[in-house]
Amino acid sequence: MKRSKTAALLLMSTAPLLLTACDRNQSREGLYTSVEACVAQTNDSNTCQQAFAKAQQDAVATAPHFANREACEASYGKEKCAERNDGASHSFFGPLMTGFFLSQMMRNGVAANGFNSAPAFRDSNGGWQRPATGTGGVYRGGAGTAMVPVNATPNRAVTVSRSGFGTSGSSRSFGG
């Protein structure tokens, strides 16, 4: 009787590992401060260049908008803001993009077609921020409020999220 309980507990404790092993699709996301740093981590120059270019393009539309340079610099630091134009002759001040996110879908450990990218900004406290999904450039009290803080280490580790049975997989960080 005692052996069967021990065996049952042992089998139950290994079930999550077995289910994770069946998972073949993963997503990988990293925060990079340059195309070169991205290439060093991913070995994919073309994707890194495209992700950087797309993030630069999105940075103007999704960055916080400030009515003046002083308000922007109070949040993002001295000489870290620039005057921008939204294309409709409306000028505003916004932070300079200091990094970019790259997420790739992986299949069997190989990058699948397609990627997502987003601009990253460093605030005056040295923390990283990214635009909240579906927002950006919204004036509220003189500043856009569409940024979310990010706890990622740039140019260092790549986060891998696994999804398989449902979407309740595990995540881990690896790299050097």
Side-chain angles (χ1 to χ4, degrees):
M1 185 76 162
K2 192 174 186 179
R3 272 192 210 148
S4 63
K5 284 184 182 180
T6 304
L9 287 173
L10 183 61
L11 287 173
M12 286 176 23
S13 67
T14 60
L17 295 174
L18 294 172
L19 293 176
T20 302
C22 294
D23 180 22
R24 300 285 182 213
N25 293 328
Q26 305 170 354
S27 64
R28 177 172 69 183
E29 180 176 79
L31 169 61
Y32 306 102
T33 56
S34 68
V35 172
E36 293 78 18
C38 177
V39 172
Q41 287 291 317
T42 65
N43 295 319
D44 189 346
S45 177
N46 189 41
T47 298
C48 289
Q49 289 173 357
Q50 289 177 10
F52 177 77
K54 184 179 180 314
Q56 272 190 315
Q57 185 179 34
D58 293 347
V60 174
T62 60
H65 294 186
F66 294 87
N68 57 54
R69 183 181 303 274
E70 293 77 24
C72 182
E73 288 182 348
S75 294
Y76 290 93
K78 198 111 174 113
E79 299 184 22
K80 303 279 177 146
C81 297
E83 188 170 6
R84 311 269 187 195
N85 188 312
D86 65 4
S89 300
H90 299 109
S91 292
F92 62 93
F93 288 88
L96 298 171
M97 185 178 96
T98 51
F100 67 102
F101 288 92
L102 168 64
S103 344
Q104 291 179 289
M105 188 64 173
M106 307 293 287
R107 288 198 183 99
N108 298 323
V110 178
N113 292 339
F115 64 89
N116 290 317
S117 66
F121 305 92
R122 277 197 96 148
D123 62 25
S124 59
N125 297 324
W128 288 93
Q129 298 178 340
R130 74 186 305 165
T133 305
T135 60
V138 178
Y139 281 98
R140 289 199 183 140
T145 57
M147 303 302 282
V148 292
V150 175
N151 294 325
T153 303
N155 307 326
R156 185 149 186 222
V158 176
T159 302
V160 175
S161 299
R162 297 172 183 250
S163 60
F165 300 97
T167 55
S168 58
S170 64
S171 64
R172 64 182 176 165
S173 184
F174 65 93

